[in-house]
Amino acid sequence: MLETDWSKQCSKVGDDFESYGAAAVSMVRKFAETDSNSEWALGLYDKTSKRYYASACAILATQKGYSGRVLRIREVVVCPLLDYGNLPETEYVDTLIHLLNGAVRLSDTSLKARHIKIHLRSPADAVFFRAIGTALDSKSVFAATEAHGAWLSFTKKNAAALKAV
């Protein structure tokens, strides 16, 4: 369970789980406990290391300015070991990539949407995702990638193009 894993990680970095991520984790818990078909709690779990790397909330909604449904990824929290820099930066980058890949898969399956919006944690995340967006645009994977403040938006071109990446 995420809370058990992160509590152990907090101990390793000298923090207390309740003060570390109580607010963000309580929002994810609320989404996990709801019966809603349009609000989900997400966790990125690695079976090899047996570690949760991130959690987030996924919301399927209609939004002004978009045709069709939008999958919004919010309340992204990375694990204490990443947050405190106790793991290599490459694992942080991998976590962001897995977050994006997971959002795309989710938008193709359980929370179907043509548009994906990810609320970023930091300005460094925005730089990273813009670079990813530019690279994917050059391969014509997405119809559009845009950044607006702390939000990064992807409009999928089509399912076949995404599977080719």
Side-chain angles (χ1 to χ4, degrees), residues 6 18 22 32 35 37-39 42 45 56 62 73 80-82 94 97-98 107 111 140 145-146 150-151:
W6 284 13
E18 291 306 315
D35 289 333
N37 290 328
S38 61
E39 296 178 343
L42 307 176
Y45 181 76
T62 55
I73 306 298
L81 293 176
L82 279 174
D94 289 345
I97 291 169
H98 290 305
S107 74
L111 297 177
S140 299
T145 59
E146 300 175 39
W151 286 97

Side-chain angles (χ1 to χ4, degrees), residues 63-110:
Q63 189 170 339
K64 187 177 179 180
Y66 290 89
S67 61
R69 299 174 112 187
V70 178
L71 176 59
R72 299 179 347 160
I73 306 298
R74 298 201 51 140
E75 309 300 332
V76 176
V77 181
V78 296
C79 71
L81 293 176
L82 279 174
D83 203 22
Y84 275 90
N86 289 35
L87 296 174
E89 284 184 14
T90 55
E91 290 194 40
Y92 184 78
V93 171
D94 289 345
T95 298
L96 294 179
I97 291 169
H98 290 305
L99 178 68
L100 174 58
N101 286 338
V104 169
R105 278 194 302 274
L106 197 57
S107 74
D108 283 339
T109 57
S110 301

Side-chain angles (χ1 to χ4, degrees), residues 92-156:
Y92 184 78
V93 171
D94 289 345
T95 298
L96 294 179
I97 291 169
H98 290 305
L99 178 68
L100 174 58
N101 286 338
V104 169
R105 278 194 302 274
L106 197 57
S107 74
D108 283 339
T109 57
S110 301
L111 297 177
K112 291 189 182 287
R114 182 165 184 237
H115 310 283
I116 301 167
K117 292 182 73 175
I118 299 176
H119 193 257
L120 306 169
R121 291 178 24 107
S122 74
D125 291 352
V127 171
F128 171 77
F129 274 122
R130 279 189 194 105
I132 292 290
T134 300
L136 293 175
D137 277 349
S138 72
K139 293 186 175 206
S140 299
V141 174
F142 291 105
T145 59
E146 300 175 39
H148 301 284
W151 286 97
L152 187 65
S153 304
F154 296 93
T155 298
K156 297 187 303 186

